[in-house]
Amino acid sequence: MKLKFFSLVFFMALFSAKLFAQDAAAVTDEELKKYAIAMDSVNEMQAVLSGQIKQMVTTNQNVTAARYNELFKIIGDEGKLLEANATPDEISFVKEVIAKKDAGTAKIKETYQLLAKDYVGAAAFNKVKKAISSDETLKTKYQTLMEELAKDNAVN
């Protein structure tokens, strides 16, 4: 008799804990929207930085895009730079582009962290991020929000 009672209590506790965990992890529409806005902002910053870098490389009169790509791969290796006959101006330009990229990336990272912490809320941000990776319905809803936000970005 005691065994049946303990078994019943155990299964009830197990079942109710599972239900409670699902309720606690539920993502609200507001949390999802804030998360999407934060991620859209970060994506937009990344696109702007990428455009700036591309413009720097394609509009430079002294270093072609192909030459930049060649030197970028070996910029940290003095021996290979000598083999490639890299000029001081070319090396300086590649380092300037890298510095611009690094500064922009640091700003994006800082913005990402601030949005996650202050706009969405750290707990909500992590909850939404985790839920999107495991819940297909929520993931679809998120992707729809991102598409709507991307349309707004194209207009602005």
Side-chain angles (χ1 to χ4, degrees), residues 55-76:
Q55 183 177 11
M56 283 178 76
V57 171
T58 58
T59 60
N60 186 287
Q61 301 295 319
N62 301 321
V63 182
T64 65
R67 181 69 169 161
Y68 167 81
N69 288 331
E70 175 189 352
L71 296 177
F72 177 80
K73 295 174 188 173
I74 60 172
I75 196 66

Side-chain angles (χ1 to χ4, degrees), residues 6-65:
F6 286 120
S7 296
L8 179 63
V9 169
F10 173 76
F11 284 113
M12 286 177 60
L14 185 64
F15 183 73
S16 64
K18 187 174 180 182
L19 287 177
F20 178 74
Q22 288 176 345
D23 290 342
V27 173
T28 67
D29 287 343
E30 181 67 20
E31 289 170 329
L32 183 62
K33 186 172 183 175
K34 282 185 171 186
Y35 180 87
I37 290 170
M39 295 310 295
D40 179 66
S41 297
V42 170
N43 291 345
E44 185 67 16
M45 288 179 74
Q46 289 172 331
V48 167
L49 177 62
S50 179
Q52 291 171 343
I53 298 300
K54 183 177 179 181
Q55 183 177 11
M56 283 178 76
V57 171
T58 58
T59 60
N60 186 287
Q61 301 295 319
N62 301 321
V63 182
T64 65

Side-chain angles (χ1 to χ4, degrees), residues 28-154:
T28 67
D29 287 343
E30 181 67 20
E31 289 170 329
L32 183 62
K33 186 172 183 175
K34 282 185 171 186
Y35 180 87
I37 290 170
M39 295 310 295
D40 179 66
S41 297
V42 170
N43 291 345
E44 185 67 16
M45 288 179 74
Q46 289 172 331
V48 167
L49 177 62
S50 179
Q52 291 171 343
I53 298 300
K54 183 177 179 181
Q55 183 177 11
M56 283 178 76
V57 171
T58 58
T59 60
N60 186 287
Q61 301 295 319
N62 301 321
V63 182
T64 65
R67 181 69 169 161
Y68 167 81
N69 288 331
E70 175 189 352
L71 296 177
F72 177 80
K73 295 174 188 173
I74 60 172
I75 196 66
D77 188 330
E78 292 293 327
K80 288 184 179 181
L81 287 171
L82 282 173
E83 284 178 28
N85 296 319
T87 67
D89 287 342
E90 291 174 327
I91 293 169
S92 175
F93 175 70
V94 172
K95 287 182 177 181
E96 178 185 340
V97 173
I98 290 171
K100 170 88 172 170
K101 182 180 176 188
D102 289 348
T105 300
K107 179 126 177 89
I108 291 168
K109 183 178 179 181
E110 178 185 353
T111 300
Y112 177 83
Q113 291 170 344
L114 287 171
L115 287 170
K117 186 179 110 190
D118 297 337
Y119 178 66
V120 181
F125 186 90
N126 291 328
K127 177 175 73 169
V128 174
K129 185 176 180 180
K130 184 177 178 182
I132 287 172
S133 67
S134 62
D135 183 339
E136 285 302 315
T137 304
L138 189 64
K139 184 176 184 177
T140 302
K141 206 173 181 180
Y142 169 71
Q143 289 171 336
T144 301
L145 279 171
M146 291 300 286
E147 288 169 8
E148 290 173 16
L149 292 167
K151 288 177 189 174
D152 290 344
N153 292 343

